[in-house]
Amino acid sequence: FQPRKRLESQLNANRLPGGIIGVNPVWFKDKEKSRYLWSPPFMQDKDVVVTRKSDAFDYQHPNDLVGMRLALPRGLYFWGVTELVNANKIEVYETSSDVQDLQMVLLNRADATITSALTFQHFSRALFKANDFAVLATPHDKFERMILFPKQYETVYRTLAPIIQEAMSDPQWQVILQHYQSD
């Protein structure tokens, strides 16, 4: 794990010592997949809105967050939400981690956070009581996770990409994915 700014700095300077696991081209302004080499997707994930169980509400669209206090990781973009933050319609507390975001929600220092479903599942099992939180029914976003390879790692990419593609039809990998993607 590295802060987003450090990743961006290393990518821009062609000094990233390897690939980045579990990311999406949109997050790196590479929707056309031309700046970097991208593995095939290896799992589906989604961003969810998380509140205290007692404060759950019906979330359908970022506009439903207007007037709220959100805890969000520093430097990340959330479609629709970032624009509302910039327009001063949502108050945001930037943190350095999803753990801090969940702590802020639990301590009522923020009304909600947005995090990936997989991240929430992990931390709610490892560090928190899952029943303290409510994961709102409508996801904020859905996306595929891939591996980003800087172009100087083309040889590694050419070796790993077919293996990752093949893994997607491997029954053992599907069992592992089901474990992580079950709610």
Side-chain angles (χ1 to χ4, degrees):
F1 176 80
Q2 287 189 24
R4 178 61 189 252
K5 280 188 174 187
R6 187 177 308 151
L7 281 177
E8 290 286 349
S9 174
Q10 289 178 334
L11 280 169
N12 291 335
N14 289 323
R15 292 186 19 236
L16 186 73
I20 305 173
I21 300 172
V23 293
N24 187 283
V26 172
W27 305 342
F28 289 85
K29 296 181 177 114
D30 195 20
K31 197 173 187 175
E32 291 78 34
K33 300 181 184 176
S34 59
R35 292 177 65 195
Y36 307 108
L37 303 170
W38 292 92
S39 77
F42 61 85
M43 73 179 358
Q44 301 291 317
D45 199 356
K46 58 188 173 184
D47 279 340
V48 293
V49 179
V50 179
T51 66
R52 284 175 305 290
K53 190 147 210 116
S54 60
D55 296 336
F57 61 95
D58 183 31
Y59 173 81
Q60 298 295 319
H61 187 273
N63 287 333
D64 296 331
L65 301 172
V66 168
M68 293 193 171
R69 302 169 300 155
L70 296 185
L72 297 173
R74 186 175 293 106
L76 296 188
Y77 171 83
F78 294 93
W79 72 269
V81 174
T82 300
E83 291 81 0
L84 291 168
V85 168
N86 292 340
N88 295 317
K89 293 182 177 184
I90 295 174
E91 188 175 357
V92 70
Y93 299 100
E94 292 187 323
T95 66
S96 59
S97 71
D98 289 295
V99 171
Q100 286 181 335
D101 295 337
L102 292 168
Q103 288 171 329
M104 288 187 70
V105 169
L106 196 57
L107 295 171
N108 197 23
R109 293 182 180 151
D111 300 313
T113 188
I114 299 172
T115 187
S116 85
L118 295 174
T119 299
F120 176 75
Q121 286 172 15
H122 170 74
F123 288 129
S124 67
R125 291 176 187 154
L127 301 174
F128 301 101
K129 296 176 190 170
N131 61 357
D132 287 338
F133 296 101
V135 175
L136 305 185
T138 302
H140 173 70
D141 201 3
K142 294 180 181 182
F143 51 89
E144 298 174 315
R145 292 195 177 270
M146 303 173 202
I147 302 174
L148 175 159
F149 295 93
K151 290 193 174 180
Q152 68 261 33
Y153 292 105
E154 185 170 357
T155 304
V156 174
Y157 164 79
R158 289 194 184 279
T159 301
L160 291 179
I163 295 168
I164 295 166
Q165 181 69 48
E166 203 171 294
M168 292 309 295
S169 59
D170 182 333
Q172 288 178 309
W173 180 245
Q174 293 305 313
V175 168
I176 291 168
L177 286 179
Q178 288 244 256
H179 169 74
Y180 284 104
Q181 294 175 334
S182 65
D183 289 330

